[in-house]
């Protein structure tokens, strides 16, 4: 999820920073990353309660979930380029500030419209934070073996945050109410800020690069935003509604415009020549497929348990434990295997196991016993956790 140029450069470590073996830079970066990824899924089990308290319809609730990820994804490339030019540490800290303040806005939102707006701002903070995280780790841990290990931890954090979202959300909603889901980010964000300021080395900014390619960024935002808007509004308006079809058409036009602009740009946000590298292309495709499968499962499974089996928010969170409990073991194993054998073996094994787990969900129906879904959830979580750190390292 990082900007390609930030991944390909390996800046020299800050001489004034902590030693190479210090875990504190990793802790600081992972706290911020955990918070950002957690908010992709933590809201899912709270949606029925939010809808009831705020009298929100299905479309409004979809925007609560998808508005965050839409802005997050649409601005990733732009914020990656911003980190290249202004320095990864400055952009990372700015993202933490924006995200933490927006979380407070979500927790205090009086209406659905305000909550959606605050979620959009959260997406901006996430986009500022994530592209810089790997660049900061590369600076703090320049050795190849050390970098493979910390990427394994980084992948573990991503998997734990995504998987723990529904579980933690269920506990918080049952005990403290839905607003506590967002209040949780305030102490985490503050701790990440303080640790980053004190312990994370500062990668050098590349101020010699040309200015940011704003037309290409706008095209990328339209490319991602058009289809997303069409998918969200299709449920309320119908798939043949002009607004829905227009969203998909705008996305296609944005993709064409982005490719043309990037091909002509002297300093593209996403150099298209990178896709000539088989390792880069394969890892990118695998990352897309993994995110679609695992995050899709974590979005749909809570709805399945609550709407078809009538589970409470707390019981839904506990029901997802098989998918979460194996993430730490899978990511830790991936880090060790990648350091010893390279990324190919853990990626292949993880993809096979994860695909088998996702395929097992084809058995899910209104009368399917919970026990039948335990093994598929565990396989999907373990396979994803085994694959993602290796794909990131690749």
């Amino acid at each position: 999820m990082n900007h390609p140029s930030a991944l390909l450069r390996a800046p020299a470590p800050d001489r004034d920073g902590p030693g190479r073996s210090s875990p504190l830079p990793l802790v600081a970066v992972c706290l911020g990353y955990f918070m950002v990824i957690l908010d992709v899924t933590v809201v899912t089990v709270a949606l029925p309660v939010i809808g009831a308290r705020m009298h929100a319809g299905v479309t409004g609730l979809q925007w609560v979930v998808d508005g965050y990820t839409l802005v997050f994804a649409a601005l990733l490339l732009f914020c990656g380029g911003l980190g290249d030019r202004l320095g990864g540490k400055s952009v990372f800290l700015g993202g933490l500030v924006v995200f933490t303040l927006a979380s407070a806005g979500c927790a205090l939102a009086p209406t659905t419209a305000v909550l959606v707006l605050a979620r959009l701002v959260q997406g901006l903070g996430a986009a500022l934070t994530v592209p810089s995280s790997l660049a900061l780790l590369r600076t703090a841990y320049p050795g190849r073996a050390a970098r493979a290990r910390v990427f394994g931890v980084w992948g573990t954090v991503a998997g734990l945050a995504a998987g723990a979202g529904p579980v933690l959300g269920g506990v918080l909603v049952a005990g403290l109410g839905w607003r506590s889901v967002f209040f949780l980010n305030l102490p985490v964000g503050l701790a990440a800020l303080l640790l980053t300021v004190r312990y994370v080395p500062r990668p050098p900014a590349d101020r010699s690069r040309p200015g940011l390619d704003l037309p290409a960024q706008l095209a990328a935002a339209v490319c991602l935003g058009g289809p997303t808007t069409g998918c969200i509004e299709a449920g309320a308006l119908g798939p043949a509604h002009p607004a829905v079809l227009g969203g998909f058409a705008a996305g296609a036009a944005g993709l064409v415009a982005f490719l043309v602009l990037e091909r002509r740009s002297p300093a593209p946000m996403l150099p298209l020549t990178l896709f000539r590298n088989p390792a880069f292309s394969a890892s990118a495709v695998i990352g897309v497929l993994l995110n679609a499968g695992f995050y899709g499962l974590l979005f749909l499974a809570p709805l399945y348990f609550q709407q078809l089996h009538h589970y409470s928010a707390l019981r839904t969170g506990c029901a997802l434990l098989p998918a979460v409990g194996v993430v730490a073991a899978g990511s830790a194993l991936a880090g060790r295997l990648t350091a010893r054998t390279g990324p190919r073996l853990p990626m292949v094994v993880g993809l096979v196991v994860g695909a088998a787990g996702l395929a097992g969900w084809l058995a899910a129906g209104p009368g399917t016993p919970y026990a039948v879904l335990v093994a598929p959830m565990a396989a999907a979580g373990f396979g994803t956790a085994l694959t993602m750190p290796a794909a990131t390292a690749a």
Side-chain angles (χ1 to χ4, degrees), residues 35 53 84 180 196 253 272 299 347:
M35 181 175 62
R53 298 290 187 272
D84 289 343
S180 62
T196 301
L272 301 181
F299 177 78
M347 288 172 68

Side-chain angles (χ1 to χ4, degrees), residues 213-224 254 258 261 269:
D213 192 351
L214 295 180
Q217 168 56 46
L218 178 61
V222 172
C223 173
L224 293 170
F258 177 76
L261 290 168
M269 293 185 298

Side-chain angles (χ1 to χ4, degrees), residues 98-368:
V98 171
F99 190 93
T100 304
L101 293 177
S103 297
C106 291
L108 300 173
T111 65
T112 304
V114 175
L115 176 58
V116 170
L117 178 61
R119 287 284 283 172
L120 296 178
V121 179
Q122 267 192 321
L124 170 61
L128 288 167
T129 302
V130 170
S132 302
S133 61
L134 285 177
L136 294 178
L137 291 179
R138 284 183 66 90
T139 301
Y141 305 95
R144 180 177 179 181
R147 192 161 60 239
R149 286 192 294 270
V150 299
F151 281 177
V153 174
W154 186 83
T156 301
V157 168
L160 284 174
V167 180
L168 185 57
V171 173
L172 291 173
V173 170
L176 300 174
W178 71 266
R179 296 182 188 274
S180 62
V181 167
F182 299 107
F183 275 128
L184 174 68
N185 292 332
L186 304 188
V188 177
L190 180 60
L193 275 168
L194 295 177
L195 288 171
T196 301
V197 169
R198 177 66 181 86
Y199 296 108
V200 175
R202 182 180 296 275
D206 186 3
R207 302 186 185 279
S208 64
R209 296 191 65 181
L212 292 168
D213 192 351
L214 295 180
Q217 168 56 46
L218 178 61
V222 172
C223 173
L224 293 170
T228 303
T229 301
C231 289
I232 293 174
E233 296 297 333
L237 302 177
H241 192 277
V244 175
L245 297 177
F248 287 107
L255 175 60
V256 173
F258 177 76
L259 294 175
V260 171
L261 290 168
E262 288 295 88
R263 187 179 297 275
R264 296 178 178 177
S265 174
M269 293 185 298
L270 179 61
L272 301 181
T273 54
L274 286 175
F275 290 97
R276 297 175 186 172
N277 184 328
F280 180 86
S281 298
S283 298
V285 171
I286 288 170
V288 170
L289 295 176
L290 278 175
N291 280 284
F294 189 60
Y295 286 106
L297 174 63
L298 291 178
F299 177 78
L300 292 174
L303 298 177
Y304 169 80
F305 287 129
Q306 290 187 69
Q307 294 183 0
L308 293 184
H309 289 273
H310 307 291
Y311 285 7
S312 66
L314 178 58
R315 188 178 179 187
T316 298
C318 294
L320 293 170
L321 281 174
V324 183
V326 297
V327 168
S331 295
L333 179 60
R336 294 191 185 97
L337 285 177
T338 302
R340 293 179 182 177
T341 69
R344 184 185 301 271
L345 176 62
M347 288 172 68
V348 170
V349 175
L351 288 171
V352 171
V353 174
L358 292 173
W361 271 81
L362 294 174
T368 304

